[in-house]
Amino acid sequence: MTDYRQLRINGQRLWDSLMEMAQIGATQKGGCNRQALTDLDKQGRDLFVKWCEDVGCSVTVDEMGNIFAQRPGKSPELPPVLTGSHLDTQPTGGKFDGVYGVLSGLEVIRSLNDANVETEAPIEVAVWTNEEGARFSPAMIGSGVWAGEFDLDYAYARQDKEGKTFGAELERIGYRGQAPAKPRPLAAAFEVHIEQGPILEAEEKTIGVLSGVQGMNWYDLTLIGQPCHAGPSPMEGRRDPFMGLHRILDQLYKLAEEHAPWARATFGDIRVEPGSRNTVPEKLVLAVDLRHPDQKTLDAMDQRFREIAASVAGETGLEHDIREEWRSPAVAFDTKCVEAVRSAVADLGYSNKEMVSGAGHDSVYISRVAPTSMIFVPCEKGLSHNEAENAEPKDLEAGANVLLHAMLKMANKSG
């Protein structure tokens, strides 16, 4: 039996790789803008593929542009142990969200090569397309199609704000592969990620051991009133969508308070028509995001949201509509994968906390077709989806070490 307990990743090399990738799409405020299927996304993908080929991996790209880099094992017939995340960012994103999970997987392979360790099962690193959903909605569509949650044609038809389609842009950057975007046997799947919240830092814990991901629902709420002149029209006679909106927002914030501390209500985008400064708008469309880790609670929040919208619309003389953009049920991760992470943390001696993820990740969809778990590390002030996003090198190194040992436990019968 080989003793792997002293094996560690190269923290400086991981950091250097993160900083080199961060130069692609670097912003003036120190973040990254590398949105899905842009020329900058292609540059990041190309660099990752080169790095993988340099360490002896075979690289496959599927018809969704998902990239799979595999390091062979002693028994190629065994299903691989997979890790990975995404390379695309928000328009004002940071240097670690997603890319840390991808490059930690690459660092695991580099470190195994350095130590001349041959695993029983293959080791694989994935880059999932359009995880962020910043350019093409919904989020996590690359892993979603792969896991069977979305239809391929639906994905190809998604449009950005300029009307460019996902399929055409995938073709344009040369990452529409030939492999089918369909699930296949995996021994296990792990994703290491910055927390994107303040809990680990506040509690001075190095590792978050994830048992699941909270459920999340995305909606477009439309309120329709009557356009009229801003000056001559008395306030009391107006059918103004904003008069209904503020009441709805107030009640939804109170709904989140009722289900504290884990409930979330967020309103990240709004548009009005006709959009003239001195005209009461006819139509308002609000993006609504509701989240909770307990599915029954989230279902209750969904029902209450619909009741609130209908009631307020009736009181203010508005028409309303609620369109579901995306629904991601709460996830419970595989107990054996969670235990592999927990065991790795114990072996390495890191302080830790059992957690549920507040954000959606590709692991949400992977978990529906393969045994899955996640690993969190702290990020400064819990800040993410922000150019000031930051993480300590020692914490990033610790997370990658946990990933290494969790993967070894699942890839080796004697690990």
Side-chain angles (χ1 to χ4, degrees):
M1 179 182 295
T2 305
D3 186 355
Y4 298 113
R5 286 179 294 181
Q6 301 307 312
L7 192 60
R8 301 290 187 275
I9 63 97
N10 184 323
Q12 185 61 53
R13 182 170 57 195
L14 172 60
W15 181 262
D16 291 344
S17 297
L18 285 164
M19 294 305 102
E20 185 172 348
M21 184 65 76
Q23 294 175 21
I24 301 174
T27 64
Q28 290 185 348
K29 294 182 180 180
C32 287
N33 181 5
R34 199 170 50 241
Q35 295 179 62
L37 310 188
T38 59
D39 292 343
L40 291 169
D41 184 28
K42 172 180 168 54
Q43 290 179 37
R45 288 163 170 265
D46 289 348
L47 179 59
F48 172 73
V49 169
K50 177 184 182 300
W51 281 342
C52 291
E53 291 175 343
D54 287 347
V55 294
C57 290
S58 60
V59 177
T60 301
V61 181
D62 73 13
E63 55 196 344
M64 276 296 291
N66 300 317
I67 304 170
F68 303 94
Q70 188 177 106
R71 181 182 192 261
K74 293 179 185 177
S75 304
E77 74 281 0
L78 291 176
V81 176
L82 180 137
T83 189
S85 195
H86 60 97
L87 291 176
D88 67 309
T89 74
Q90 292 286 326
T92 52
K95 297 189 288 285
F96 305 100
D97 177 4
V99 63
Y100 167 56
V102 172
L103 297 186
S104 290
L106 174 62
E107 179 54 37
V108 165
I109 290 175
R110 287 170 167 171
S111 299
L112 292 174
N113 286 354
D114 291 345
N116 295 313
V117 170
E118 189 176 13
T119 56
E120 193 70 30
I123 295 289
E124 198 165 313
V125 183
V127 174
W128 301 104
T129 300
N130 191 55
E131 189 273 351
E132 292 290 1
R135 185 179 179 200
F136 299 99
S137 182
M140 297 148 41
I141 199 168
S143 56
V145 170
W146 184 88
E149 294 297 322
F150 299 114
D151 181 77
L152 183 64
D153 290 338
Y154 167 81
Y156 282 173
R158 306 309 290 164
Q159 294 185 8
D160 66 9
K161 291 183 178 180
E162 297 178 354
K164 295 178 180 178
T165 66
F166 181 102
E169 288 295 272
L170 188 64
E171 188 80 45
R172 184 186 67 81
I173 68 166
Y175 272 89
R176 182 173 175 176
Q178 298 300 312
K182 294 181 179 179
R184 52 190 163 83
L186 297 176
F190 297 97
E191 183 175 5
V192 61
H193 208 282
I194 60 170
E195 181 193 347
Q196 300 182 286
I199 297 172
L200 290 174
E201 183 183 55
E203 298 190 14
E204 299 183 344
K205 303 294 186 183
T206 302
I207 299 295
V209 179
L210 275 290
S211 59
V213 178
Q214 68 180 357
M216 55 201 80
N217 295 348
W218 286 5
Y219 314 85
D220 279 346
L221 168 65
T222 300
L223 299 175
I224 300 175
Q226 184 177 52
C228 59
H229 197 296
S233 305
M235 297 299 292
E236 64 271 14
R238 296 182 179 187
R239 292 173 55 218
D240 182 348
F242 275 98
M243 289 182 172
L245 177 66
H246 83 87
R247 299 189 195 184
I248 292 172
L249 293 180
D250 181 60
Q251 293 188 55
L252 288 180
Y253 280 127
K254 288 178 180 176
L255 179 65
E257 290 178 9
E258 290 171 16
H259 297 288
W262 295 110
R264 304 286 186 267
T266 306
F267 316 101
D269 189 45
I270 188 170
R271 65 181 188 271
V272 296
E273 298 175 9
S276 175
R277 185 179 295 273
N278 65 342
T279 300
V280 172
E282 177 179 14
K283 183 166 77 171
L284 177 155
V285 181
L286 176 73
V288 178
D289 181 324
L290 300 181
R291 306 188 184 205
H292 198 281
D294 178 74
Q295 189 59 46
K296 289 184 179 179
T297 303
L298 182 59
D299 289 344
M301 291 173 64
D302 171 272
Q303 180 61 34
R304 184 69 187 121
F305 166 45
R306 296 174 188 278
E307 292 170 356
I308 289 168
S311 175
V312 171
E315 293 167 2
T316 52
L318 303 172
E319 298 175 38
H320 85 288
D321 178 70
I322 295 175
R323 184 183 69 83
E324 284 192 11
E325 173 69 13
W326 183 51
R327 183 181 286 258
S328 181
V331 172
F333 286 141
D334 179 78
T335 55
K336 290 182 179 179
C337 289
V338 174
E339 182 53 39
V341 173
R342 192 179 289 127
S343 177
V345 171
D347 290 347
L348 292 162
Y350 295 129
S351 61
N352 64 93
K353 180 180 178 64
E354 304 272 330
M355 303 180 69
V356 172
S357 174
H361 300 282
D362 289 307
S363 291
V364 168
Y365 289 134
I366 307 311
S367 69
R368 300 184 187 180
V369 294
T372 303
S373 187
M374 291 189 69
I375 303 156
F376 272 0
V377 299
C379 57
E380 186 177 327
K381 299 178 181 177
L383 198 61
S384 185
H385 285 196
N386 189 301
E387 291 161 284
E389 177 184 278
N390 193 34
E392 291 292 330
K394 62 180 177 57
D395 292 331
L396 299 172
E397 180 177 351
N401 277 326
V402 173
L403 177 67
L404 167 65
H405 283 264
M407 294 186 78
L408 282 171
K409 290 176 188 297
M410 300 302 287
N412 291 307
K413 296 177 182 177
S414 59

